[in-house]
Amino acid sequence: MTTTTTNNTVYTEKAQGRCVNRDNRPVKIGALFLCVLVFATALLSMAQAPTVRFIDANGKTVAEVQVQYRNERVYLPVDAVKQVIDPATTHQYNHPRQRLTLKTKDKQIRLQMGRPTVSIDPGGQTVTLSTPPIIIAQQPMLPIDFFLQLLPILNDVEVIYNSSLNRLQIRPKDILTPVETNGTQGLIIIVDPGHGGPDDRGCAGSTGILEKDIVLALAKQLQWTSEQRGIQLRLTRETDTKKTHFERVQVAKQNRGQLFLSLHCNASFSPYQKGIRIYVNNPKGQLRFPNTAKPALAGQRLKILAQADYLKQSKDFAYALQTELNFLTETPIQIVDLPLIALSDAYMPAVVLELGYLSNVEDLEKLSNSEYMASVAQAITRALQRYISSINQNTSPTVSEQ
């Protein structure tokens, strides 16, 4: 074995004719570090792969499935049918003909890649998907529409999809069936769009949009949406007019209201404050009256205590709102107990719903978006249905006539 020096690099020549660079250890370490970095990046990419989250009626995750996008459309692997529809599902795929056959729920479902028609046997039923299944990486992939359109048929459920959050909710159909009382669906709901008139605009967004206009538009949409589901709903104001607190409560009493929902928007000095808030009138909530309260304030407290007779029902409706509106948000919605004088004279279950912060850029964009506001109206309607469905007609609160 001989040793030579060339260009400041030392080589050791072995008998076998091979040579080893003693100074290549830093190169090896660098290569190893690069491999680890690439592997870690791949793992991170896998962890952050887009998914669709399937949840039940109460917001609990049923399954989370990785998806792929093609032309801005969402596609899921065939195995997702096992996770979501039926664990006993089996499938066969004919590669040459690109035909997929699923056997699930005692039914046989046939699909052709690239074609929207789905055949269901026995029965000969056909469903036309909004988006056809396709091949991705030589594997059949199902569009999200397959689950939206076939889940109600196969499992007799209702399905709601939030495309912005890739969240699909599956709920039994009977969970939102209102209890019928005396030939009607019972409760008369009072919706109070806050503020109104030229002197009471409420909060204002940087774009000039006003709280009074947002809540009135939502209240009207909510009235239409609710009445489509057979829910009786009355507004405290139907135009841009000023209404005193007393006048709003009088509307509730005159219509024999049995639930009071006050709609508002929020604002903050901090641009980072955002999100929906639900407030329940509770005299033992986070804020308390000082011991030095003036007589007038003490009188208001007595009214709050009277309204608090309905605290449990108010919280029941608040929880229903929270459950339904959480479907629209990434951050869980808070329910806050406060002694609210604004609801003190509403002698019935009552809740204040703050729709978001007009001082926050993200909330302002949402509150200005007609599609988002339509989804809010639908969520509130489902909350009303959920609340009404939970009420036993023998224990429903009666509103005292004053």
Side-chain angles (χ1 to χ4, degrees):
M1 182 174 65
T2 60
T3 302
T4 59
T5 302
T6 306
N7 294 331
N8 297 324
T9 303
V10 180
Y11 291 92
T12 301
E13 297 180 3
K14 296 186 178 180
Q16 293 88 339
R18 297 171 59 191
C19 62
V20 178
N21 183 346
R22 291 180 177 177
D23 291 346
N24 71 350
R25 281 173 292 182
V27 175
K28 288 183 176 180
I29 293 173
L32 179 62
F33 175 77
L34 181 60
C35 290
V36 171
L37 181 62
V38 170
F39 182 68
T41 302
L43 286 178
L44 182 62
S45 175
M46 290 174 61
Q48 295 177 342
T51 62
V52 165
R53 188 153 66 94
F54 293 83
I55 62 176
D56 65 14
N58 295 314
K60 182 180 178 181
T61 299
V62 175
E64 190 160 5
V65 182
Q66 288 192 1
V67 301
Q68 295 195 45
Y69 286 89
R70 288 294 185 276
N71 299 321
E72 300 183 352
R73 299 183 184 276
V74 180
Y75 293 89
L76 295 83
V78 175
D79 282 345
V81 178
K82 287 186 178 182
Q83 300 180 57
V84 178
I85 297 178
D86 179 13
T89 298
T90 61
H91 75 273
Q92 293 179 339
Y93 180 58
N94 185 318
H95 280 275
R97 296 186 177 184
Q98 294 190 341
R99 290 180 180 175
L100 175 66
T101 302
L102 295 164
K103 294 182 179 180
T104 181
K105 295 287 184 179
D106 297 323
K107 294 184 180 296
Q108 190 164 271
I109 303 171
R110 295 186 179 88
L111 305 95
Q112 174 80 49
M113 298 300 105
R115 296 184 181 179
T117 303
V118 178
S119 301
I120 305 175
D121 289 313
Q125 183 177 3
T126 60
V127 176
T128 302
L129 301 177
S130 302
T131 304
I134 62 173
I135 298 295
I136 299 178
Q138 299 183 345
Q139 295 298 321
M141 299 288 284
L142 302 173
I144 190 68
D145 299 295
F146 175 89
F147 297 89
L148 293 175
Q149 294 179 237
L150 266 70
L151 262 170
I153 297 173
L154 298 175
N155 284 6
D156 193 30
V157 294
E158 288 189 341
V159 178
I160 306 168
Y161 181 51
N162 184 331
S163 58
S164 62
L165 297 180
N166 261 1
R167 187 179 296 173
L168 189 148
Q169 188 172 54
I170 307 166
R171 57 177 72 208
K173 287 185 177 180
D174 60 354
I175 194 172
L176 297 181
T177 303
V179 175
E180 294 195 5
T181 307
N182 298 327
T184 69
Q185 290 188 348
L187 304 185
I188 296 175
I189 313 299
I190 306 299
V191 174
D192 175 39
H195 309 282
D199 301 324
D200 187 6
R201 307 185 307 166
C203 305
S206 59
T207 59
I209 193 169
L210 301 177
E211 176 183 3
K212 67 172 185 176
D213 297 327
I214 293 173
V215 295
L216 179 59
L218 176 61
K220 288 183 175 181
Q221 189 164 20
L222 179 59
Q223 186 176 41
W224 183 85
T225 304
S226 298
E227 290 180 350
Q228 299 301 306
R229 303 289 184 100
I231 299 174
Q232 302 179 71
L233 194 146
R234 305 288 184 269
L235 307 185
T236 59
R237 68 178 180 96
E238 299 189 9
T239 58
D240 182 20
T241 55
K242 181 178 180 179
K243 290 276 188 177
T244 66
H245 171 62
F246 175 78
E247 289 172 329
R248 294 171 192 268
V249 174
Q250 283 301 111
V251 172
K253 291 178 179 178
Q254 291 167 3
N255 285 278
R256 301 178 66 83
Q258 293 164 285
L259 178 65
F260 191 89
L261 173 62
S262 187
L263 300 176
H264 290 267
C265 296
N266 236 325
S268 171
F269 289 110
S270 169
Y272 303 106
Q273 283 284 347
K274 66 177 183 177
I276 297 172
R277 299 287 188 276
I278 300 171
Y279 295 94
V280 175
N281 186 20
N282 184 358
K284 297 181 181 179
Q286 294 179 2
L287 297 182
R288 303 185 186 281
F289 289 97
N291 294 330
T292 58
K294 297 180 181 180
L297 188 56
Q300 291 290 344
R301 184 177 184 181
L302 291 176
K303 293 178 181 178
I304 291 175
L305 289 172
Q307 200 279 324
D309 292 343
Y310 292 92
L311 180 58
K312 181 185 182 302
Q313 292 97 322
S314 297
K315 285 190 173 181
D316 288 345
F317 179 53
Y319 293 139
L321 275 175
Q322 182 186 50
T323 300
E324 296 299 338
L325 289 169
N326 269 337
F327 181 69
L328 305 179
T329 66
E330 294 181 273
T331 305
I333 295 169
Q334 299 176 2
I335 297 176
V336 183
D337 287 17
L338 291 174
L340 300 171
I341 293 177
L343 297 180
S344 60
D345 293 308
Y347 197 58
M348 64 191 72
V351 169
V352 173
L353 175 61
E354 297 274 3
L355 300 164
Y357 284 77
L358 288 175
S359 50
N360 177 269
V361 174
E362 293 179 34
D363 279 4
L364 176 60
E365 183 178 355
K366 289 180 179 178
L367 294 170
S368 304
N369 185 301
S370 59
E371 289 186 8
Y372 173 78
M373 296 306 290
S375 67
V376 171
Q378 292 284 354
I380 297 174
T381 300
R382 293 193 298 269
L384 291 171
Q385 288 182 281
R386 183 184 287 266
Y387 174 73
I388 294 171
S389 299
S390 69
I391 294 176
N392 185 311
Q393 60 184 9
N394 296 323
T395 59
S396 298
T398 57
V399 178
S400 66
E401 298 181 19
Q402 300 181 12

